[in-house]
Coordinates of all heavy atoms in Angstrom, one line a residue:
M1 N 0.0 -8.3 3.5 CA -0.6 -7.2 2.9 C -1.2 -6.3 4.0 O -1.0 -5.0 4.0 CB -1.7 -7.6 2.0 CG -2.3 -6.6 1.3 SD -3.3 -7.3 -0.1 CE -4.2 -5.9 -0.7
M2 N -1.9 -6.8 5.0 CA -2.4 -6.0 6.1 C -1.3 -5.5 6.9 O -1.3 -4.5 7.6 CB -3.5 -6.9 6.9 CG -4.7 -7.2 6.2 SD -5.3 -5.9 5.0 CE -6.0 -4.7 6.2
E3 N -0.2 -6.3 6.9 CA 1.0 -5.9 7.7 C 1.5 -4.6 7.3 O 1.9 -3.7 8.1 CB 2.0 -7.0 7.7 CG 1.8 -8.2 8.4 CD 1.7 -7.9 10.0 OE1 2.7 -7.2 10.5 OE2 0.8 -8.3 10.7
A4 N 1.6 -4.5 5.9 CA 2.1 -3.2 5.4 C 1.2 -1.9 5.9 O 1.7 -1.0 6.2 CB 2.1 -3.2 3.9
K5 N 0.0 -2.2 5.9 CA -0.9 -1.1 6.4 C -0.7 -0.8 7.9 O -0.8 0.3 8.3 CB -2.4 -1.5 6.1 CG -3.2 -0.4 5.8 CD -4.5 -0.8 5.2 CE -5.4 0.4 5.1 NZ -6.7 0.1 4.8
K6 N -0.5 -1.9 8.6 CA -0.3 -1.7 10.1 C 1.0 -0.9 10.3 O 1.0 -0.2 11.2 CB -0.2 -3.1 10.8 CG -1.2 -3.4 11.8 CD -0.9 -4.7 12.5 CE -1.7 -5.9 12.0 NZ -1.2 -7.1 12.5
L7 N 2.0 -1.1 9.5 CA 3.2 -0.3 9.7 C 3.1 1.1 9.4 O 3.7 2.0 10.0 CB 4.3 -1.0 8.8 CG 4.8 -2.3 9.3 CD1 5.7 -2.9 8.3 CD2 5.5 -2.2 10.6
A8 N 2.1 1.4 8.4 CA 1.9 2.7 8.1 C 0.9 3.5 9.0 O 0.6 4.6 8.6 CB 1.6 2.9 6.6
K9 N 0.4 2.8 9.8 CA -0.7 3.3 10.7 C -0.3 4.1 12.0 O 0.7 3.7 12.5 CB -1.6 2.2 11.1 CG -2.9 2.6 11.8 CD -3.9 1.3 11.9 CE -3.7 0.7 13.2 NZ -4.7 -0.3 13.4
R10 N -1.0 5.0 12.3 CA -0.8 5.7 13.7 C -2.1 6.3 14.1 O -3.1 6.3 13.4 CB 0.4 6.7 13.5 CG -0.3 8.1 12.9 CD 0.7 9.2 13.0 NE 0.2 10.5 12.4 CZ 0.8 11.6 12.2 NH1 2.1 11.5 12.4 NH2 0.3 12.6 11.7
D11 N -2.2 6.5 15.5 CA -3.3 7.0 16.0 C -3.7 8.4 15.5 O -2.7 9.3 15.4 CB -3.3 7.1 17.5 CG -3.2 5.7 18.2 OD1 -3.8 4.8 17.6 OD2 -2.8 5.6 19.4
Y12 N -4.8 8.7 15.1 CA -5.3 9.9 14.6 C -5.7 11.0 15.7 O -6.5 10.5 16.6 CB -6.4 9.7 13.6 CG -7.0 11.0 13.1 CD1 -6.4 11.8 12.1 CD2 -8.2 11.6 13.6 CE1 -6.9 13.0 11.7 CE2 -8.8 12.7 13.2 CZ -8.1 13.4 12.2 OH -8.6 14.6 11.7
K13 N -5.1 12.1 15.8 CA -5.4 13.0 16.8 C -6.0 14.3 16.4 O -6.0 15.2 17.1 CB -4.0 13.3 17.7 CG -3.2 12.2 18.1 CD -3.3 12.1 19.6 CE -2.2 11.0 20.2 NZ -2.4 9.7 19.8
G14 N -6.6 14.2 15.3 CA -7.1 15.4 14.7 C -8.5 15.8 15.1 O -9.0 15.1 16.2
A15 N -9.2 16.6 14.4 CA -10.5 17.0 14.8 C -11.6 16.0 14.5 O -12.7 16.1 15.3 CB -10.9 18.4 14.0
N16 N -11.5 15.2 13.6 CA -12.6 14.3 13.3 C -12.7 13.2 14.2 O -11.9 12.4 14.4 CB -12.3 13.7 11.8 CG -13.5 12.9 11.4 OD1 -14.4 12.5 12.1 ND2 -13.4 12.5 10.1
K17 N -13.8 13.2 15.1 CA -13.9 12.3 16.2 C -14.1 10.8 15.6 O -13.8 9.9 16.4 CB -15.2 12.7 17.1 CG -14.9 14.0 17.8 CD -14.4 13.7 19.2 CE -14.3 15.0 20.0 NZ -13.4 16.0 19.5
K18 N -14.7 10.7 14.5 CA -15.0 9.3 14.0 C -13.8 8.7 13.5 O -13.8 7.4 13.4 CB -16.0 9.4 12.9 CG -17.5 9.6 13.3 CD -18.4 9.6 12.3 CE -19.8 10.1 12.7 NZ -20.7 10.6 11.6
Q19 N -12.8 9.4 13.3 CA -11.5 8.8 12.7 C -10.5 8.4 13.9 O -10.1 9.1 14.7 CB -10.9 9.8 11.8 CG -9.8 9.3 10.9 CD -9.1 10.3 10.0 OE1 -9.8 11.4 9.9 NE2 -7.9 10.0 9.7
K20 N -10.3 7.1 13.9 CA -9.4 6.6 14.9 C -8.0 6.5 14.4 O -7.1 6.8 15.2 CB -9.8 5.1 15.2 CG -11.0 5.2 16.1 CD -11.2 3.8 16.7 CE -12.4 3.7 17.5 NZ -12.9 2.4 17.9
F21 N -7.7 6.2 13.3 CA -6.3 6.1 12.8 C -6.1 6.8 11.5 O -7.0 7.1 10.8 CB -6.1 4.6 12.5 CG -6.3 3.7 13.6 CD1 -7.4 2.9 13.7 CD2 -5.5 3.6 14.8 CE1 -7.7 2.1 14.8 CE2 -5.7 2.9 15.9 CZ -6.8 2.0 15.9
E22 N -4.9 7.0 11.1 CA -4.4 7.5 9.8 C -3.4 6.7 9.4 O -2.6 6.2 10.1 CB -4.2 9.0 9.9 CG -3.1 9.4 10.9 CD -3.0 10.9 11.1 OE1 -3.6 11.7 10.3 OE2 -2.2 11.3 11.9
Y23 N -3.1 6.9 8.0 CA -2.1 6.0 7.3 C -1.2 6.9 6.5 O -1.6 7.9 5.8 CB -2.7 5.1 6.4 CG -3.6 4.1 7.2 CD1 -4.9 4.4 7.4 CD2 -3.2 2.9 7.6 CE1 -5.8 3.6 8.2 CE2 -3.9 2.0 8.3 CZ -5.4 2.4 8.6 OH -6.1 1.6 9.2
Q24 N 0.1 6.6 6.4 CA 1.0 7.3 5.9 C 1.3 6.8 4.3 O 1.7 5.6 4.2 CB 2.4 7.4 6.5 CG 3.4 8.5 5.9 CD 4.6 8.5 6.7 OE1 5.1 7.5 7.3 NE2 5.3 9.7 6.8
C25 N 1.2 7.7 3.5 CA 1.5 7.4 2.1 C 3.0 7.1 1.9 O 3.8 8.0 2.5 CB 1.0 8.4 1.1 SG 1.6 8.1 -0.6
N26 N 3.4 6.0 1.4 CA 4.8 5.6 1.2 C 5.6 6.6 0.2 O 6.8 6.6 0.2 CB 5.0 4.2 0.9 CG 6.4 3.7 1.0 OD1 7.0 4.1 2.0 ND2 6.9 2.9 0.1
H27 N 4.8 7.3 -0.6 CA 5.3 8.1 -1.5 C 5.5 9.5 -1.2 O 6.6 10.0 -1.2 CB 4.6 7.8 -2.9 CG 5.1 8.5 -4.0 ND1 6.3 8.0 -4.7 CD2 5.0 9.8 -4.7 CE1 6.6 8.8 -5.7 NE2 5.9 9.8 -5.7
C28 N 4.4 10.2 -0.9 CA 4.4 11.6 -0.5 C 4.6 11.9 1.0 O 4.8 13.0 1.4 CB 3.2 12.3 -1.1 SG 1.7 11.7 -0.4
K29 N 4.5 10.8 1.7 CA 4.7 10.9 3.2 C 3.6 11.6 3.9 O 3.9 12.1 5.1 CB 6.2 11.3 3.5 CG 7.3 10.6 2.8 CD 7.4 9.2 3.4 CE 8.5 8.4 2.7 NZ 8.4 7.0 3.0
K30 N 2.6 12.0 3.3 CA 1.5 12.6 3.9 C 0.6 11.6 4.6 O 0.6 10.5 4.3 CB 0.7 13.4 3.0 CG 1.5 14.7 2.5 CD 0.6 15.5 1.5 CE 1.3 16.2 0.5 NZ 0.6 16.5 -0.7
W31 N -0.3 12.1 5.5 CA -1.2 11.2 6.3 C -2.5 11.2 5.8 O -3.0 12.4 5.5 CB -1.1 11.5 7.7 CG 0.3 11.2 8.4 CD1 1.3 12.0 8.4 CD2 0.7 10.0 8.9 NE1 2.4 11.4 9.0 CE2 2.0 10.2 9.4 CE3 0.0 8.8 9.2 CZ2 2.7 9.1 10.0 CZ3 0.7 7.7 9.8 CH2 2.0 7.9 10.3
F32 N -3.2 10.1 5.7 CA -4.5 10.1 5.1 C -5.4 9.1 5.9 O -4.8 8.3 6.7 CB -4.5 9.4 3.7 CG -3.7 10.4 2.6 CD1 -2.3 10.3 2.5 CD2 -4.2 11.3 2.0 CE1 -1.6 10.9 1.7 CE2 -3.6 12.1 1.1 CZ -2.2 11.9 1.0
K33 N -6.7 9.3 5.8 CA -7.7 8.4 6.4 C -7.7 7.0 5.6 O -7.4 7.0 4.5 CB -8.9 8.9 6.7 CG -9.6 9.5 5.4 CD -10.9 10.2 6.0 CE -11.7 10.7 4.9 NZ -12.9 11.5 5.2
D34 N -8.2 6.1 6.3 CA -8.3 4.7 5.8 C -8.9 4.6 4.4 O -8.2 3.9 3.6 CB -9.3 4.0 6.8 CG -9.1 2.4 6.6 OD1 -8.2 2.0 5.8 OD2 -9.9 1.7 7.2
S35 N -9.9 5.4 4.2 CA -10.6 5.2 2.9 C -9.8 5.9 1.7 O -10.2 5.7 0.5 CB -12.0 5.8 2.8 OG -12.0 7.2 3.4
E36 N -8.8 6.6 2.1 CA -8.0 7.3 1.1 C -6.7 6.6 0.7 O -5.9 7.2 -0.1 CB -7.8 8.8 1.6 CG -9.0 9.6 1.5 CD -8.9 11.0 2.1 OE1 -7.9 11.3 2.8 OE2 -9.7 11.8 1.9
V37 N -6.4 5.6 1.4 CA -5.2 4.9 1.0 C -5.4 3.5 0.4 O -6.4 3.0 0.7 CB -4.2 4.7 2.3 CG1 -3.7 6.0 2.8 CG2 -4.9 3.9 3.3
Q38 N -4.5 2.9 -0.3 CA -4.5 1.6 -0.9 C -3.2 1.0 -0.7 O -2.2 1.6 -0.7 CB -4.8 1.9 -2.5 CG -6.3 2.1 -2.7 CD -6.5 2.9 -4.0 OE1 -5.6 3.4 -4.5 NE2 -7.8 3.0 -4.3
V39 N -3.3 -0.3 -0.5 CA -2.2 -1.1 -0.4 C -1.7 -1.6 -1.7 O -2.5 -2.2 -2.5 CB -2.4 -2.2 0.6 CG1 -1.1 -3.2 0.7 CG2 -2.7 -1.9 1.9
D40 N -0.6 -1.2 -2.2 CA -0.1 -1.5 -3.6 C 1.0 -2.5 -3.4 O 1.8 -2.5 -2.5 CB 0.4 -0.2 -3.9 CG 0.9 -0.4 -5.4 OD1 0.2 -0.8 -6.4 OD2 2.2 -0.1 -5.6
H41 N 1.1 -3.4 -4.4 CA 2.2 -4.3 -4.4 C 3.2 -3.7 -5.4 O 3.0 -3.4 -6.6 CB 1.8 -5.7 -4.9 CG 0.7 -5.8 -5.8 ND1 0.7 -5.7 -7.1 CD2 -0.7 -6.1 -5.5 CE1 -0.5 -5.9 -7.6 NE2 -1.3 -6.0 -6.6
K42 N 4.4 -3.7 -4.9 CA 5.5 -3.0 -5.8 C 5.9 -3.8 -7.0 O 6.3 -3.3 -7.9 CB 6.7 -2.9 -4.8 CG 6.6 -1.8 -3.7 CD 7.9 -1.8 -3.0 CE 7.7 -0.9 -1.7 NZ 8.8 -1.0 -0.8
I43 N 5.7 -5.1 -6.7 CA 6.1 -6.0 -7.9 C 4.8 -6.3 -8.6 O 3.8 -6.8 -8.1 CB 6.7 -7.3 -7.3 CG1 8.0 -6.9 -6.5 CG2 7.1 -8.3 -8.5 CD1 8.3 -8.0 -5.5
P44 N 4.9 -6.3 -10.0 CA 3.7 -6.6 -10.8 C 3.4 -8.1 -10.6 O 4.4 -8.9 -10.7 CB 4.0 -6.3 -12.1 CG 5.1 -5.3 -12.0 CD 5.9 -5.6 -10.7
V45 N 2.2 -8.4 -10.3 CA 1.9 -10.0 -10.0 C 1.2 -10.6 -11.2 O 0.5 -11.7 -11.0 CB 1.1 -10.0 -8.6 CG1 2.0 -9.8 -7.5 CG2 0.0 -9.1 -8.6
G46 N 1.1 -9.9 -12.3 CA 0.3 -10.4 -13.5 C 0.7 -11.8 -13.7 O -0.1 -12.4 -14.3
S47 N 2.0 -12.1 -13.6 CA 2.4 -13.4 -14.2 C 2.0 -14.5 -13.1 O 2.2 -15.7 -13.4 CB 3.9 -13.4 -14.3 OG 4.5 -13.0 -13.1
L48 N 1.5 -14.2 -12.0 CA 1.1 -15.3 -11.1 C -0.3 -15.7 -11.3 O -1.1 -15.0 -11.8 CB 1.2 -14.7 -9.6 CG 2.6 -14.3 -9.1 CD1 2.5 -13.6 -7.8 CD2 3.5 -15.6 -9.0
L49 N -0.5 -16.9 -11.1 CA -1.8 -17.6 -11.3 C -2.8 -17.3 -10.3 O -4.0 -17.1 -10.6 CB -1.7 -19.1 -11.6 CG -0.8 -19.7 -12.6 CD1 -0.5 -21.1 -12.6 CD2 -1.4 -19.2 -14.0
S50 N -2.4 -17.3 -9.0 CA -3.4 -16.9 -8.0 C -2.7 -16.4 -6.8 O -1.4 -16.4 -6.7 CB -4.1 -18.3 -7.6 OG -3.2 -19.0 -6.9
W51 N -3.5 -15.9 -5.8 CA -2.8 -15.2 -4.7 C -2.2 -16.3 -3.8 O -1.3 -16.0 -3.1 CB -3.9 -14.6 -3.9 CG -4.2 -13.3 -4.3 CD1 -5.1 -12.8 -5.2 CD2 -3.3 -12.1 -4.1 NE1 -4.9 -11.3 -5.5 CE2 -3.9 -11.0 -4.8 CE3 -2.2 -11.9 -3.3 CZ2 -3.2 -9.8 -4.6 CZ3 -1.6 -10.6 -3.2 CH2 -2.1 -9.6 -3.9
E52 N -2.5 -17.6 -4.0 CA -1.8 -18.6 -3.1 C -0.3 -18.8 -3.6 O 0.5 -19.2 -2.8 CB -2.5 -20.0 -3.4 CG -3.8 -20.2 -2.4 CD -4.9 -19.6 -3.0 OE1 -5.4 -19.9 -4.1 OE2 -5.5 -18.6 -2.4
D53 N -0.1 -18.4 -4.8 CA 1.2 -18.5 -5.2 C 2.1 -17.3 -4.9 O 3.4 -17.5 -4.9 CB 1.3 -18.4 -6.9 CG 0.6 -19.7 -7.5 OD1 0.6 -20.7 -6.8 OD2 0.0 -19.6 -8.5
I54 N 1.6 -16.3 -4.4 CA 2.3 -15.1 -4.1 C 3.2 -15.3 -3.0 O 4.4 -14.8 -2.9 CB 1.5 -13.9 -4.0 CG1 2.4 -12.6 -4.3 CG2 0.6 -13.8 -2.8 CD1 1.7 -11.4 -4.4
T55 N 2.9 -15.9 -1.9 CA 3.6 -15.9 -0.7 C 5.1 -16.7 -0.9 O 6.1 -16.0 -0.7 CB 3.0 -16.6 0.5 OG1 1.7 -16.0 0.5 CG2 3.7 -16.4 1.8
P56 N 5.0 -17.8 -1.5 CA 6.4 -18.4 -1.7 C 7.2 -17.7 -2.8 O 8.5 -17.6 -2.6 CB 6.0 -19.9 -2.3 CG 4.7 -19.8 -2.5 CD 4.0 -18.8 -1.7
F57 N 6.5 -17.0 -3.7 CA 7.1 -16.3 -4.7 C 7.8 -15.0 -4.1 O 9.0 -14.8 -4.3 CB 6.1 -15.8 -5.7 CG 6.5 -14.8 -6.7 CD1 7.2 -15.2 -7.8 CD2 6.3 -13.5 -6.5 CE1 7.6 -14.3 -8.8 CE2 6.6 -12.6 -7.4 CZ 7.3 -12.9 -8.6
L58 N 7.1 -14.4 -3.2 CA 7.7 -13.2 -2.5 C 8.9 -13.6 -1.6 O 9.9 -12.9 -1.5 CB 6.7 -12.4 -1.8 CG 5.6 -11.7 -2.7 CD1 4.6 -11.0 -1.8 CD2 6.4 -10.7 -3.6
Q59 N 8.6 -14.7 -0.9 CA 9.7 -15.1 0.0 C 11.0 -15.5 -0.6 O 12.1 -15.2 -0.1 CB 9.2 -16.3 0.8 CG 8.3 -15.9 2.0 CD 7.5 -17.1 2.6 OE1 7.5 -18.1 2.1 NE2 6.7 -16.8 3.7
K60 N 10.9 -16.0 -1.8 CA 12.1 -16.3 -2.6 C 12.7 -15.0 -3.1 O 13.9 -14.7 -3.0 CB 11.7 -17.1 -3.8 CG 12.4 -18.3 -3.8 CD 11.9 -19.1 -5.2 CE 10.7 -19.9 -5.0 NZ 10.3 -20.4 -6.4
L61 N 11.8 -14.0 -3.4 CA 12.4 -12.8 -4.0 C 13.0 -11.9 -3.0 O 14.0 -11.2 -3.1 CB 11.1 -12.1 -4.7 CG 11.4 -11.3 -6.0 CD1 12.0 -12.3 -7.0 CD2 10.2 -10.7 -6.5
I62 N 12.2 -11.7 -1.8 CA 12.6 -10.7 -0.8 C 12.5 -11.5 0.6 O 11.5 -12.1 0.8 CB 11.7 -9.5 -0.6 CG1 11.2 -9.2 -2.1 CG2 12.4 -8.4 -0.1 CD1 9.9 -8.4 -2.1
P63 N 13.6 -11.5 1.3 CA 13.5 -12.2 2.7 C 12.2 -11.7 3.4 O 11.5 -12.6 3.8 CB 14.8 -11.8 3.3 CG 15.6 -11.4 2.3 CD 14.8 -10.8 1.1
E64 N 12.0 -10.5 3.5 CA 10.8 -10.0 4.2 C 9.9 -9.7 3.2 O 9.9 -8.6 2.6 CB 11.0 -8.8 5.1 CG 12.2 -8.8 6.0 CD 13.4 -8.2 5.5 OE1 13.4 -7.0 5.3 OE2 14.4 -8.9 5.2
G65 N 8.9 -10.6 3.0 CA 7.9 -10.4 1.9 C 7.0 -9.2 2.0 O 6.5 -8.6 1.1
L66 N 7.1 -8.6 3.2 CA 6.4 -7.4 3.5 C 6.8 -6.2 2.7 O 6.1 -5.4 2.3 CB 6.9 -7.0 5.0 CG 5.9 -7.1 6.2 CD1 6.6 -6.4 7.4 CD2 4.6 -6.2 5.7
D67 N 8.1 -6.1 2.4 CA 8.6 -5.1 1.6 C 8.0 -5.0 0.1 O 8.1 -4.0 -0.5 CB 10.2 -5.2 1.4 CG 10.9 -4.8 2.6 OD1 10.2 -4.2 3.5 OD2 12.1 -5.0 2.6
A68 N 7.3 -6.0 -0.2 CA 6.6 -6.0 -1.5 C 5.3 -5.1 -1.5 O 4.9 -4.8 -2.6 CB 6.3 -7.5 -1.9
F69 N 5.0 -4.8 -0.3 CA 3.6 -4.0 -0.2 C 4.0 -2.7 0.4 O 4.8 -2.5 1.2 CB 2.6 -4.7 0.6 CG 2.2 -5.9 0.0 CD1 2.7 -7.2 0.5 CD2 1.2 -6.1 -0.9 CE1 2.3 -8.4 0.0 CE2 0.9 -7.2 -1.5 CZ 1.3 -8.4 -1.0
Q70 N 3.2 -1.7 -0.2 CA 3.4 -0.3 0.3 C 2.0 0.3 0.4 O 1.1 0.1 -0.4 CB 4.4 0.5 -0.5 CG 3.9 0.7 -1.9 CD 4.9 1.4 -2.8 OE1 5.8 2.0 -2.3 NE2 4.8 1.3 -4.1
V71 N 1.9 1.3 1.3 CA 0.6 2.0 1.4 C 0.8 3.3 0.6 O 1.8 4.0 0.8 CB 0.4 2.3 3.0 CG1 -0.9 3.3 3.0 CG2 0.1 1.0 3.7
L72 N -0.1 3.6 -0.3 CA -0.1 4.7 -1.1 C -1.5 5.4 -1.0 O -2.5 4.8 -0.8 CB 0.2 4.4 -2.6 CG 1.5 3.8 -3.1 CD1 1.5 3.5 -4.4 CD2 2.7 4.8 -2.6
C73 N -1.5 6.7 -1.0 CA -2.6 7.5 -1.1 C -3.2 7.3 -2.5 O -2.5 6.9 -3.5 CB -2.6 8.9 -0.8 SG -1.5 9.9 -2.0
K74 N -4.5 7.7 -2.7 CA -5.2 7.4 -4.0 C -4.5 8.1 -5.1 O -4.2 7.7 -6.2 CB -6.6 7.8 -4.0 CG -7.5 6.8 -3.4 CD -9.0 7.3 -3.4 CE -9.8 6.3 -2.7 NZ -11.2 6.8 -2.5
E75 N -3.9 9.3 -4.8 CA -3.3 10.1 -5.7 C -2.0 9.6 -6.3 O -1.7 9.3 -7.6 CB -3.1 11.5 -5.2 CG -3.3 12.7 -6.1 CD -3.3 14.0 -5.4 OE1 -4.3 14.3 -4.7 OE2 -2.3 14.7 -5.5
C76 N -1.2 9.1 -5.4 CA 0.1 8.4 -5.7 C -0.1 7.2 -6.5 O 0.8 6.9 -7.3 CB 1.0 8.3 -4.5 SG 1.6 9.8 -3.7
H77 N -1.1 6.4 -5.9 CA -1.4 5.1 -6.6 C -1.8 5.4 -8.0 O -1.3 4.5 -8.9 CB -2.6 4.5 -5.9 CG -2.6 3.1 -6.2 ND1 -3.9 2.5 -6.9 CD2 -1.9 2.0 -6.2 CE1 -3.7 1.3 -7.1 NE2 -2.5 0.9 -6.7
Q78 N -2.5 6.3 -8.2 CA -3.0 6.7 -9.7 C -1.9 6.9 -10.5 O -1.7 6.5 -11.6 CB -3.9 7.8 -9.6 CG -4.7 8.0 -10.9 CD -5.5 6.8 -11.4 OE1 -6.3 6.2 -10.5 NE2 -5.3 6.3 -12.6
V79 N -0.9 7.8 -10.0 CA 0.3 8.1 -10.7 C 1.0 6.9 -11.1 O 1.5 6.8 -12.3 CB 1.2 9.3 -9.9 CG1 2.5 9.4 -10.6 CG2 0.4 10.5 -9.8
K80 N 1.2 6.1 -10.2 CA 2.0 4.9 -10.3 C 1.3 4.0 -11.3 O 2.0 3.4 -12.3 CB 2.2 4.1 -8.9 CG 3.0 2.9 -9.1 CD 3.1 2.4 -7.7 CE 4.0 1.0 -7.7 NZ 3.2 -0.1 -8.2
T81 N 0.0 3.8 -11.3 CA -0.7 3.0 -12.2 C -0.6 3.5 -13.7 O -0.3 2.7 -14.6 CB -2.2 2.9 -11.8 OG1 -2.2 2.6 -10.5 CG2 -2.9 2.0 -12.7
N82 N -0.7 4.8 -13.8 CA -0.6 5.5 -15.1 C 0.8 5.2 -15.7 O 0.9 4.9 -16.9 CB -0.8 6.9 -15.0 CG -2.3 7.3 -14.7 OD1 -3.1 6.4 -14.9 ND2 -2.6 8.4 -14.3
K83 N 1.8 5.3 -14.9 CA 3.2 5.1 -15.2 C 3.4 3.6 -15.7 O 4.0 3.4 -16.8 CB 4.1 5.4 -14.1 CG 5.2 6.3 -14.4 CD 6.0 6.4 -13.1 CE 7.2 7.2 -13.2 NZ 8.0 7.0 -11.9
E84 N 2.8 2.7 -15.0 CA 3.0 1.4 -15.4 C 2.3 1.0 -16.6 O 2.6 0.2 -17.6 CB 2.5 0.5 -14.3 CG 3.4 0.2 -13.1 CD 2.8 -0.4 -11.8 OE1 1.6 -0.8 -11.9 OE2 3.5 -0.6 -10.9
R85 N 1.2 1.7 -16.9 CA 0.4 1.5 -18.2 C 1.3 2.0 -19.3 O 1.3 1.4 -20.4 CB -0.9 2.2 -18.2 CG -1.9 1.4 -17.4 CD -3.3 1.8 -17.8 NE -4.3 1.2 -16.7 CZ -5.1 1.9 -16.0 NH1 -5.1 3.2 -16.2 NH2 -5.8 1.3 -15.0
E86 N 1.9 3.1 -19.2 CA 2.7 3.7 -20.2 C 4.0 2.8 -20.5 O 4.3 2.8 -21.7 CB 3.3 5.1 -19.7 CG 2.3 6.2 -20.0 CD 2.6 7.6 -19.2 OE1 3.9 7.7 -19.0 OE2 1.8 8.2 -18.8
E87 N 4.4 2.2 -19.5 CA 5.6 1.3 -19.7 C 5.3 0.1 -20.5 O 6.1 -0.6 -21.1 CB 6.2 1.0 -18.4 CG 7.1 2.1 -17.8 CD 7.5 1.9 -16.4 OE1 7.2 1.0 -15.8 OE2 7.9 2.9 -15.7
R88 N 4.0 -0.3 -20.4 CA 3.7 -1.6 -21.1 C 3.5 -1.5 -22.5 O 3.3 -0.4 -23.2 CB 2.4 -2.0 -20.5 CG 2.4 -3.4 -19.9 CD 1.2 -3.6 -19.0 NE 1.4 -3.7 -17.5 CZ 0.6 -3.6 -16.6 NH1 -0.6 -3.4 -16.9 NH2 0.9 -3.7 -15.3
Ligands
LIG1 ZN1 0.9 9.9 -1.6

């Protein structure tokens, strides 16, 4: 999960001195600061009993379990969440 975030991270070179890194939203491809992005799991995990179950589950599903996670900005995450609710 943190790996997904590491991959989307780069050094921030903008004006805000307090900000060291920025993260790219996997959806809109824009760059955001740490507090504005969320790590989202692409696969709904509602059927899993606990987080301990997720690793073998993902490894079975995708060779690189990493792909199951993506970094999204709050806006895209909200859109995705709303979409998922509608589908239910
Ligand atoms: Zn976005």
